[in-house]
Amino acid sequence: MRIGVLTSGGDCPGLNAVIRSVVHRGLDVHGDQIVGVEDGFLGLIESRARPIGHDDVTGLLTLGGTVLGSARVQREKIRWAVDHAEELAARIGIDALIAIGGEGTLGAAKLFSDAGLPVVGVPKTIDNDIDATDVTFGFDTAVHVATEAIDRLKTTAESHQRVMVVELMGRHTGWITLTAGMAGGAHGILIPEKPFDIERVARMIEERFDRGKKFAIIAVAEGAVPATGTMRFDHGEVDQFGHRTFGGIGTRLAHELEDLLGKEARPVILGHVQRGGTPTARDRVLATRFGWHAVEAVHKGAFGHFTALRGSQIELVPVAEAVTRLKTVPADRWAESEAVL
Amino acid sequence: MRIGVLTSGGDCPGLNAVIRSVVHRGLDVHGDQIVGVEDGFLGLIESRARPIGHDDVTGLLTLGGTVLGSARVQREKIRWAVDHAEELAARIGIDALIAIGGEGTLGAAKLFSDAGLPVVGVPKTIDNDIDATDVTFGFDTAVHVATEAIDRLKTTAESHQRVMVVELMGRHTGWITLTAGMAGGAHGILIPEKPFDIERVARMIEERFDRGKKFAIIAVAEGAVPATGTMRFDHGEVDQFGHRTFGGIGTRLAHELEDLLGKEARPVILGHVQRGGTPTARDRVLATRFGWHAVEAVHKGAFGHFTALRGSQIELVPVAEAVTRLKTVPADRWAESEAVL
Amino acid sequence: MRIGVLTSGGDCPGLNAVIRSVVHRGLDVHGDQIVGVEDGFLGLIESRARPIGHDDVTGLLTLGGTVLGSARVQREKIRWAVDHAEELAARIGIDALIAIGGEGTLGAAKLFSDAGLPVVGVPKTIDNDIDATDVTFGFDTAVHVATEAIDRLKTTAESHQRVMVVELMGRHTGWITLTAGMAGGAHGILIPEKPFDIERVARMIEERFDRGKKFAIIAVAEGAVPATGTMRFDHGEVDQFGHRTFGGIGTRLAHELEDLLGKEARPVILGHVQRGGTPTARDRVLATRFGWHAVEAVHKGAFGHFTALRGSQIELVPVAEAVTRLKTVPADRWAESEAVL
Amino acid sequence: MRIGVLTSGGDCPGLNAVIRSVVHRGLDVHGDQIVGVEDGFLGLIESRARPIGHDDVTGLLTLGGTVLGSARVQREKIRWAVDHAEELAARIGIDALIAIGGEGTLGAAKLFSDAGLPVVGVPKTIDNDIDATDVTFGFDTAVHVATEAIDRLKTTAESHQRVMVVELMGRHTGWITLTAGMAGGAHGILIPEKPFDIERVARMIEERFDRGKKFAIIAVAEGAVPATGTMRFDHGEVDQFGHRTFGGIGTRLAHELEDLLGKEARPVILGHVQRGGTPTARDRVLATRFGWHAVEAVHKGAFGHFTALRGSQIELVPVAEAVTRLKTVPADRWAESEAVL
């Protein structure tokens, strides 16, 4: 078969490993031809695609990012593409498509499949917010990077008897912050799922200092929000140039804790470092397995499905299961971290 | 409650993180007293134990090894201890015990519980061979270390156009080798579950060289065995001093491949590096969650059970489920790696 | 002898390794008594000090930060302490002092020595801005952390065809940025020593994109400044709460490059991660050697001197040589990075 | 100018970074043409060479190994090549050569230069045994890898109350072992420069155990030798198949210490992992600077010279200075490690 592959949405360590795995499995075992579609659905729309073979994927297992590029495409364009699915597929000469992306991409997989371009999805998100799969690749790497940062911050916070506020990725869900916070032994873990009371955070830190501890680490997701009225500043002022002042929640939280506590509090905004670089071993394996099973799914005709990790097994799940709701941190998982709060 | 905690069996990154988590959860939430039992069941037998509190577990989240020590104890001694369970518990003043260890330890948990010393088990193995849990802590760290080694060996193998044979841990199961082999992109993965034919391995490498590739990486589990008659040397000769000659399978495989291929082949035996050092973020979180749930299990009275990861949840499973059989690499998991073979 | 040891100034990986080395060398070889002075010169002034032995330094080789604590002390207080040097030394029972710190600390070493408290200095700075020593411990670790971040940012910048601006430490000197920028292959390296023209930076990036490259990495020291009139925003506005708006130079540079280029540009402010955590092997060895030589210097009576690395040797240098000028990046070192600009 | 570049001798992290730097500096600044010569001097002899440009060196900064390949060539062949130097240079169209290699390569640089093929040398060795330069690239990476291994071995040695013997690279010199041993806090450091007395090593470990310490780490260079008569086994028996029994000194030392001490002692042979993989930041920078200066040296006509690090500066040194003697660990450097012995 002639199988297209594209990567869509935000960057995520392991995308290249999926591409490599698709090529290995498709070429070596099934005798498929693999066509790399550039810049996500944009390449499909603009017929930018090229055959990829073994040489093109050499070294990709360990390389972050995506050699196919990725771009965000407006919904109308996607809808237009769905309407012209068969024609677009014919132009770049593919019989089926493996689409690696987030919730939106998985949703599109179903639409394209119904419209005549059979698509298998591979879920991708560093945020771990896709339902119906235990986890996706990229998440473990993001947590690894965030944990290494917390490890480093701890010693310097202790030496200087400071509060360190480390802001981690996660606009809608707190998985990275919860997990890296637990792995790094953060003393407070603030996530979007649970609006925080800054007075309570300050009190908890004070009690910690009263017990003779000389420092504290607060891990905060970029999407964490104060409970109404608990922070002096509103969130997200925008200045006359259109730039947000004060930076994000991490910076503002540090400033305000410093005022409340009368102690040095410093923000660290880890940012895009969490999205890049070589994937962890775990993410490489998961990405490789997803690629392997996506090719098998194409040959089985399991279109409109995506690869999901369930326990130790990869299963094929209807995309509808992934797009109905965002997977947020449930109360009982949050409870497990309270011991270290 | 007064809860004892001990670590038993081979070393495993994350043991200290479990101990720390037990102390945090027990002291802070339940007001328990935690008693650290030294050197596994030996400390129970010899009444070597001490109360441990917050200060004793500071820094343990990231520290490999076990501050309680670990020792292997003969079966008869364990049997004797079971017979004197209540008395031994009374001597060190504990009402219940959290026993962190491998298959043997989990088995003992049931015996002690029946004999009057209620025990909750926490599974531990870098080998990932305990059934009834998706995975245990320590495994991810071992795979991480092994993968980093393979990453490094690849560039040097390529520059020198060599075959590199890297021997990884796993006497009875191939999980570390399969997983690190896939993560590192090894070209051959040899595991105990599947006796290998050295001629076939050599042929595969030759075909690779014929395709213009200048090097190969073979990942081999220490317990991998040649199919009968396929290797010139028998495995495991012992010299007059009682020491094994030729090293293990890795060394012998490299020697023999060199002879068969007429190309340089070098063994690397990674050894105990896989067992030590700071746990990965994933293992720290898993260990912390296991400790949390073990304390809860004690308070629920779920004795004779152990903490198990099932998907994303921690469940309590009767120890009988863990000790009936070794979890080996199934055929379909092995198949997923064939693309990279 | 009774030798005090203190750490002063900002945090720096390797401080603990010096303390450990002083204890090992002093106790084991010379039979000294080592007294740890808390919180830098503050502990000297307030007579907060305690004997430290082997058990106190176990594990310190790999631990970032300083177990003795560190605090900044006002100049007048230091002057007062110099006037009462002998008395303060007598109170905590020390015959000599090893002071580990930056330029200011080394300067104080001379004053105390002249005033009757003989001091040997050990230079410490992650910024590498102390003259008269090739390098100090902490710098290699900071560069290591910054380089890992750039490595990770590269793949994500490339996948999304973005400009990434990474702001690194260095208020007065550009050593970390120059070195990590070269190590990470940054395309622009902006340091305090060389005011930059933002139009020129933008043009360079455009030429790079014109050559078909899809991304660029700009490494900028926190103290880098635009040449007069080349940036739209002034540096360092302060809002009504006393907090700096727009963050630092990295954030502002990214915003303005985005406007100039019409391309996404994202800032990453690495921050305190560069100051913490386990030191690199190189820094551990340098710190250990400095501690060793500091003890020898005390026994030789080389007071008012500090340990300096010259080539491969540790030499004792009069502190006057370290405090006359800041070691900035010279023009010829900068030139070496131009190939990658 | 048309400048050839080749890499010769054993693998070393940073070789690719030198090649990249030569291309950047030569093409961008001097308008040179760079010709990559394959497999060291073998490619020169066999006229295997190709022009290399920017695209060929993309990604090389962080990639271990050498994309040009490397091969060991017999001395007579080198001599023949020297006799035909001008002719060989003409065949592949080069005016000058940058030869990256060890002592032998640097020696050849002089011979070729005298014979009409002007050569500039770039020193390369993970062993740090080249005189006249403070250090070369590759060494820091080898030490980094070895130190990480020792860090991991420490926790597992302690948990199991074991002696761990870690064998590191260095047949003739002990630099890697001395430096990684100090960085990892090894309790014994055995190097070729100082034949060891195994009874003394055993006694030192026993004293350590007597002081209540539960483990010991011995770092031993592969070329370390026992003082005459102090070990029961002779070094390097060879069996009937031509393979060395017992492995190297690490394995034998562990066996014998186990017998002497009556305690578990385990060998870990780190092997080729020390030679491969991404270079440390420090090695990347040093390699980049060497490449930069090598191109400048070609344009200055400094043939028969090699790039050397002296303090913080790169200098050009006559190759004669590098080849007169091996740089071994001097007594005073060894002394600095005694505190941790």
Side-chain angles (χ1 to χ4, degrees):
Chain A
M1 288 182 76
R2 291 168 307 172
I3 304 174
V5 58
L6 63 77
T7 52
S8 180
D11 198 19
C12 187
L15 290 169
N16 277 328
V18 181
I19 297 167
R20 168 183 176 272
S21 180
V22 166
V23 167
H24 279 196
R25 186 70 187 168
L27 263 68
D28 295 351
V29 177
H30 295 285
D32 299 325
Q33 189 185 330
I34 307 299
V35 174
V37 180
E38 290 172 14
D39 297 331
F41 288 108
L42 206 64
L44 179 66
I45 292 166
E46 301 174 354
S47 300
R48 288 189 283 109
R50 57 178 196 272
I52 48 176
H54 282 107
D55 287 351
D56 300 296
V57 299
T58 295
L60 289 202
L61 181 59
T62 61
L63 190 69
T66 163
V67 290
L68 294 177
S70 180
R72 292 177 203 269
V73 186
Q74 297 133 285
R75 269 165 196 268
E76 309 93 82
K77 278 206 166 174
I78 295 282
R79 251 176 263 135
W80 179 90
V82 167
D83 289 343
H84 300 75
E86 283 187 88
E87 185 191 332
L88 293 174
R91 273 199 214 154
I92 59 170
I94 58 173
D95 308 315
L97 179 67
I98 293 172
I100 314 166
E103 205 193 343
T105 302
L106 299 181
K110 180 78 174 73
L111 300 177
F112 278 106
S113 293
D114 292 345
L117 169 51
V119 180
V120 167
V122 171
K124 167 234 71 144
T125 160
I126 63 162
D127 292 322
N128 192 33
D129 58 3
I130 295 181
D131 212 10
T133 182
D134 286 353
V135 75
T136 55
F137 61 89
F139 174 67
D140 190 59
T141 304
V143 168
H144 166 79
V145 171
T147 303
E148 281 198 336
I150 296 177
D151 283 354
R152 289 201 173 272
L153 291 174
K154 261 194 156 167
T155 60
T156 191
E158 187 163 16
S159 296
H160 285 290
Q161 313 196 357
R162 265 181 198 152
V163 177
M164 284 282 183
V165 177
V166 56
E167 182 188 303
L168 302 176
M169 282 190 162
R171 274 190 212 156
H172 306 295
T173 60
W175 289 107
I176 291 175
T177 303
L178 176 75
T179 312
M182 286 181 73
H187 309 100
I189 295 177
L190 311 180
I191 61 174
E193 289 86 344
K194 208 179 148 134
F196 63 87
D197 176 341
I198 193 167
E199 308 265 352
R200 211 182 140 253
V201 174
R203 217 157 43 230
M204 182 272 294
I205 296 171
E206 261 170 359
E207 285 164 17
R208 189 174 148 78
F209 276 78
D210 288 347
R211 287 198 306 272
K213 297 293 184 175
K214 302 293 196 195
F215 73 105
I217 304 283
I218 308 297
V220 57
E222 56 182 335
V225 285
T228 325
T230 66
M231 275 183 87
R232 208 172 56 196
F233 309 127
D234 290 329
H235 190 54
E237 283 107 301
V238 168
D239 70 12
Q240 70 271 36
F241 303 105
H243 298 312
R244 204 169 51 161
T245 54
F246 304 118
I249 187 67
T251 307
R252 298 175 57 233
L253 190 60
H255 286 328
E256 200 151 331
L257 284 175
E258 196 163 284
D259 291 349
L260 284 170
L261 294 165
K263 283 183 180 26
E264 270 193 324
R266 297 286 172 86
V268 171
I269 319 300
L270 212 52
H272 284 77
V273 179
Q274 294 161 84
R275 276 200 182 284
T278 194
T280 58
R282 176 164 157 79
D283 278 341
R284 295 185 201 173
V285 171
L286 189 54
T288 299
R289 295 179 73 194
F290 274 179
W292 194 97
H293 281 275
V295 171
E296 293 307 296
V298 167
H299 285 278
K300 275 183 209 160
F303 300 109
H305 283 62
F306 72 100
T307 55
L309 181 70
R310 300 265 175 102
S312 304
Q313 299 302 315
I314 310 293
E315 299 183 3
L316 295 172
V317 176
V319 293
E321 293 191 28
V323 296
T324 47
R325 60 173 211 98
L326 206 66
K327 182 173 69 179
T328 52
V329 176
D332 61 340
R333 280 304 299 278
W334 165 257
E336 292 175 1
S337 78
E338 283 189 321
V340 290
L341 185 70
Chain B
M1 289 182 75
R2 292 168 306 170
I3 305 174
V5 57
L6 63 75
T7 53
S8 178
D11 197 20
C12 186
L15 289 169
N16 277 327
V18 180
I19 297 167
R20 167 184 176 272
S21 180
V22 165
V23 168
H24 279 196
R25 185 73 186 166
L27 263 66
D28 295 351
V29 178
H30 295 283
D32 299 325
Q33 189 186 329
I34 307 298
V35 174
V37 181
E38 290 172 15
D39 299 329
F41 288 108
L42 207 61
L44 179 66
I45 293 167
E46 301 174 356
S47 302
R48 287 189 285 109
R50 59 178 193 273
I52 48 179
H54 282 106
D55 286 352
D56 301 297
V57 299
T58 296
L60 289 202
L61 182 59
T62 61
L63 190 69
T66 163
V67 289
L68 294 177
S70 181
R72 293 176 204 270
V73 185
Q74 295 133 285
R75 270 162 196 271
E76 309 92 82
K77 279 204 166 178
I78 295 283
R79 248 176 266 137
W80 179 91
V82 168
D83 291 343
H84 300 74
E86 285 187 86
E87 183 190 334
L88 294 174
R91 270 197 218 156
I92 58 172
I94 58 174
D95 308 313
L97 179 67
I98 294 174
I100 314 166
E103 203 192 346
T105 302
L106 300 181
K110 181 79 174 75
L111 301 176
F112 278 106
S113 294
D114 293 345
L117 168 53
V119 180
V120 167
V122 172
K124 172 235 63 147
T125 159
I126 62 162
D127 293 322
N128 191 32
D129 57 4
I130 294 181
D131 212 9
T133 183
D134 287 353
V135 73
T136 56
F137 62 89
F139 174 67
D140 191 58
T141 303
V143 167
H144 166 79
V145 170
T147 302
E148 280 198 339
I150 297 177
D151 283 354
R152 290 202 172 271
L153 292 173
K154 261 193 156 168
T155 61
T156 195
E158 186 162 18
S159 297
H160 285 291
Q161 313 196 357
R162 266 180 196 151
V163 177
M164 284 283 183
V165 177
V166 55
E167 182 187 303
L168 301 177
M169 283 191 162
R171 274 193 210 155
H172 306 295
T173 61
W175 289 107
I176 291 175
T177 303
L178 175 75
T179 310
M182 286 181 75
H187 308 99
I189 295 175
L190 311 179
I191 62 175
E193 288 86 344
K194 211 180 142 129
F196 64 87
D197 176 340
I198 194 167
E199 308 264 350
R200 205 178 146 259
V201 175
R203 216 156 44 231
M204 182 273 293
I205 296 171
E206 261 170 359
E207 285 165 16
R208 190 176 147 78
F209 276 78
D210 290 346
R211 287 197 307 274
K213 297 291 184 180
K214 302 292 196 197
F215 73 105
I217 304 284
I218 308 297
V220 57
E222 58 182 333
V225 285
T228 323
T230 66
M231 275 183 86
R232 206 173 59 196
F233 309 127
D234 291 327
H235 192 54
E237 282 109 303
V238 168
D239 72 12
Q240 71 271 35
F241 300 106
H243 298 309
R244 203 169 52 159
T245 55
F246 303 118
I249 188 68
T251 308
R252 298 176 55 234
L253 190 60
H255 287 327
E256 197 149 337
L257 283 174
E258 196 164 284
D259 291 348
L260 284 170
L261 294 164
K263 283 182 186 19
E264 269 191 325
R266 296 286 171 88
V268 170
I269 318 302
L270 212 51
H272 284 77
V273 179
Q274 294 161 87
R275 274 198 183 282
T278 193
T280 59
R282 179 167 156 76
D283 278 342
R284 295 185 202 172
V285 172
L286 190 53
T288 299
R289 294 179 73 194
F290 275 179
W292 194 98
H293 283 273
V295 172
E296 294 306 296
V298 166
H299 285 277
K300 277 183 209 159
F303 300 111
H305 285 62
F306 71 102
T307 56
L309 181 71
R310 299 267 175 103
S312 303
Q313 300 302 315
I314 309 294
E315 299 181 4
L316 294 173
V317 177
V319 295
E321 293 191 26
V323 296
T324 46
R325 63 175 207 95
L326 206 65
K327 183 173 69 177
T328 53
V329 176
D332 60 342
R333 279 305 301 277
W334 166 256
E336 292 175 359
S337 80
E338 283 188 322
V340 290
L341 186 71
Chain C
M1 287 182 77
R2 293 168 305 172
I3 305 175
V5 58
L6 62 77
T7 53
S8 179
D11 197 20
C12 185
L15 289 169
N16 277 328
V18 180
I19 298 167
R20 168 184 176 271
S21 180
V22 165
V23 167
H24 279 196
R25 185 72 185 168
L27 262 66
D28 295 351
V29 178
H30 295 285
D32 298 325
Q33 187 185 332
I34 307 297
V35 175
V37 181
E38 289 172 16
D39 298 330
F41 287 107
L42 207 63
L44 179 65
I45 292 166
E46 301 173 355
S47 301
R48 287 190 283 109
R50 58 181 194 269
I52 49 177
H54 282 106
D55 286 351
D56 301 296
V57 300
T58 295
L60 290 202
L61 182 59
T62 62
L63 189 70
T66 163
V67 288
L68 294 178
S70 180
R72 291 177 205 270
V73 185
Q74 296 134 284
R75 268 164 199 270
E76 309 91 81
K77 277 205 167 175
I78 296 282
R79 248 177 264 135
W80 180 89
V82 168
D83 289 343
H84 301 73
E86 284 188 89
E87 184 192 332
L88 294 173
R91 274 197 215 155
I92 59 171
I94 57 172
D95 307 314
L97 180 66
I98 293 174
I100 314 167
E103 204 193 345
T105 302
L106 300 181
K110 179 79 173 72
L111 300 176
F112 279 107
S113 294
D114 291 346
L117 168 53
V119 181
V120 166
V122 171
K124 168 235 68 146
T125 160
I126 63 162
D127 293 321
N128 192 32
D129 57 2
I130 294 181
D131 212 11
T133 182
D134 286 354
V135 74
T136 55
F137 61 89
F139 174 67
D140 191 59
T141 303
V143 167
H144 167 78
V145 171
T147 301
E148 280 198 337
I150 296 177
D151 283 355
R152 290 202 172 270
L153 292 173
K154 263 193 153 167
T155 61
T156 194
E158 186 162 17
S159 297
H160 285 291
Q161 313 196 357
R162 263 180 199 154
V163 177
M164 284 283 184
V165 176
V166 56
E167 182 187 302
L168 301 177
M169 282 191 162
R171 275 192 210 155
H172 306 296
T173 61
W175 288 107
I176 290 175
T177 304
L178 175 77
T179 311
M182 288 180 72
H187 307 100
I189 294 175
L190 310 180
I191 61 174
E193 289 86 343
K194 207 177 147 140
F196 64 88
D197 176 341
I198 193 167
E199 307 265 352
R200 209 180 142 255
V201 174
R203 218 156 42 232
M204 181 275 292
I205 297 172
E206 263 170 358
E207 285 166 15
R208 191 175 146 77
F209 275 79
D210 289 346
R211 287 196 310 271
K213 296 295 185 177
K214 303 294 195 195
F215 73 105
I217 304 283
I218 308 297
V220 56
E222 56 182 338
V225 285
T228 324
T230 64
M231 275 184 86
R232 210 172 55 193
F233 308 128
D234 291 328
H235 192 55
E237 280 109 301
V238 168
D239 72 12
Q240 70 271 34
F241 301 106
H243 298 313
R244 207 170 49 161
T245 55
F246 303 118
I249 187 69
T251 307
R252 299 175 58 233
L253 190 60
H255 287 327
E256 200 153 331
L257 283 175
E258 197 163 284
D259 292 347
L260 284 170
L261 293 166
K263 284 182 179 27
E264 272 192 323
R266 297 285 172 88
V268 171
I269 318 299
L270 213 51
H272 284 76
V273 180
Q274 296 160 80
R275 275 200 184 283
T278 193
T280 59
R282 177 166 157 78
D283 278 342
R284 295 186 202 171
V285 172
L286 189 53
T288 300
R289 295 178 73 194
F290 274 179
W292 195 97
H293 282 274
V295 172
E296 293 306 296
V298 166
H299 286 278
K300 275 182 207 160
F303 300 110
H305 285 61
F306 71 100
T307 56
L309 180 70
R310 301 266 174 101
S312 304
Q313 299 302 314
I314 310 293
E315 299 183 3
L316 296 172
V317 176
V319 293
E321 292 191 27
V323 295
T324 46
R325 61 176 210 97
L326 207 65
K327 182 172 70 177
T328 53
V329 176
D332 60 342
R333 278 305 299 278
W334 166 257
E336 292 175 2
S337 81
E338 284 189 319
V340 290
L341 185 70
Chain D
M1 288 183 73
R2 294 169 304 174
I3 305 175
V5 58
L6 63 76
T7 53
S8 179
D11 197 19
C12 186
L15 289 169
N16 277 328
V18 180
I19 297 168
R20 168 185 176 272
S21 179
V22 165
V23 167
H24 279 196
R25 185 73 188 166
L27 262 67
D28 295 350
V29 177
H30 294 284
D32 298 326
Q33 190 185 328
I34 307 298
V35 175
V37 180
E38 289 170 15
D39 297 331
F41 288 107
L42 207 64
L44 179 67
I45 293 166
E46 300 173 358
S47 301
R48 288 189 284 109
R50 59 179 194 273
I52 48 177
H54 282 105
D55 286 351
D56 301 297
V57 299
T58 295
L60 290 202
L61 182 58
T62 60
L63 189 70
T66 164
V67 290
L68 295 177
S70 180
R72 294 178 203 268
V73 186
Q74 298 132 285
R75 269 162 198 271
E76 310 92 80
K77 278 205 168 175
I78 296 283
R79 250 176 263 134
W80 179 90
V82 168
D83 290 342
H84 299 74
E86 283 187 89
E87 185 191 331
L88 294 172
R91 273 197 213 155
I92 59 171
I94 58 172
D95 307 315
L97 179 66
I98 293 172
I100 313 165
E103 203 193 347
T105 302
L106 298 181
K110 181 78 175 74
L111 300 176
F112 278 106
S113 293
D114 292 344
L117 168 53
V119 181
V120 165
V122 172
K124 170 233 65 145
T125 159
I126 63 162
D127 292 322
N128 191 32
D129 58 2
I130 295 181
D131 211 8
T133 183
D134 285 353
V135 74
T136 55
F137 60 89
F139 174 66
D140 191 58
T141 304
V143 168
H144 167 79
V145 171
T147 302
E148 282 198 335
I150 295 176
D151 283 354
R152 289 203 174 272
L153 292 174
K154 262 192 154 170
T155 62
T156 193
E158 187 163 17
S159 295
H160 284 291
Q161 314 196 358
R162 264 179 197 153
V163 176
M164 285 282 184
V165 176
V166 55
E167 182 187 302
L168 302 176
M169 283 193 162
R171 275 193 210 153
H172 306 296
T173 61
W175 289 107
I176 291 175
T177 304
L178 175 74
T179 312
M182 285 180 75
H187 309 100
I189 295 176
L190 312 179
I191 60 174
E193 288 86 342
K194 207 178 146 135
F196 64 88
D197 176 340
I198 194 168
E199 308 264 351
R200 209 179 142 257
V201 174
R203 214 155 45 228
M204 182 272 294
I205 297 172
E206 263 170 359
E207 284 165 15
R208 192 176 145 76
F209 275 79
D210 289 345
R211 287 197 307 273
K213 297 291 185 180
K214 301 294 195 192
F215 72 105
I217 304 284
I218 308 297
V220 57
E222 58 183 332
V225 285
T228 324
T230 65
M231 275 182 85
R232 205 173 59 195
F233 308 127
D234 290 328
H235 190 54
E237 281 108 303
V238 169
D239 72 11
Q240 70 271 36
F241 301 104
H243 299 310
R244 203 169 52 159
T245 57
F246 303 117
I249 186 69
T251 308
R252 299 176 55 234
L253 190 60
H255 286 327
E256 197 149 336
L257 283 175
E258 196 164 283
D259 292 348
L260 283 171
L261 294 165
K263 282 182 183 24
E264 270 192 323
R266 296 287 170 86
V268 171
I269 318 299
L270 212 51
H272 284 77
V273 178
Q274 295 161 85
R275 276 199 182 282
T278 194
T280 59
R282 179 168 154 79
D283 278 343
R284 296 185 202 173
V285 171
L286 189 54
T288 300
R289 295 179 74 194
F290 275 179
W292 194 98
H293 281 276
V295 171
E296 293 307 295
V298 166
H299 285 278
K300 276 184 208 160
F303 300 110
H305 284 62
F306 72 101
T307 55
L309 181 70
R310 301 268 174 100
S312 304
Q313 300 301 315
I314 311 293
E315 298 182 4
L316 296 172
V317 176
V319 293
E321 292 191 26
V323 296
T324 45
R325 63 176 209 97
L326 207 65
K327 181 173 70 178
T328 53
V329 176
D332 59 343
R333 280 304 300 278
W334 166 256
E336 291 175 0
S337 80
E338 285 189 321
V340 290
L341 186 71

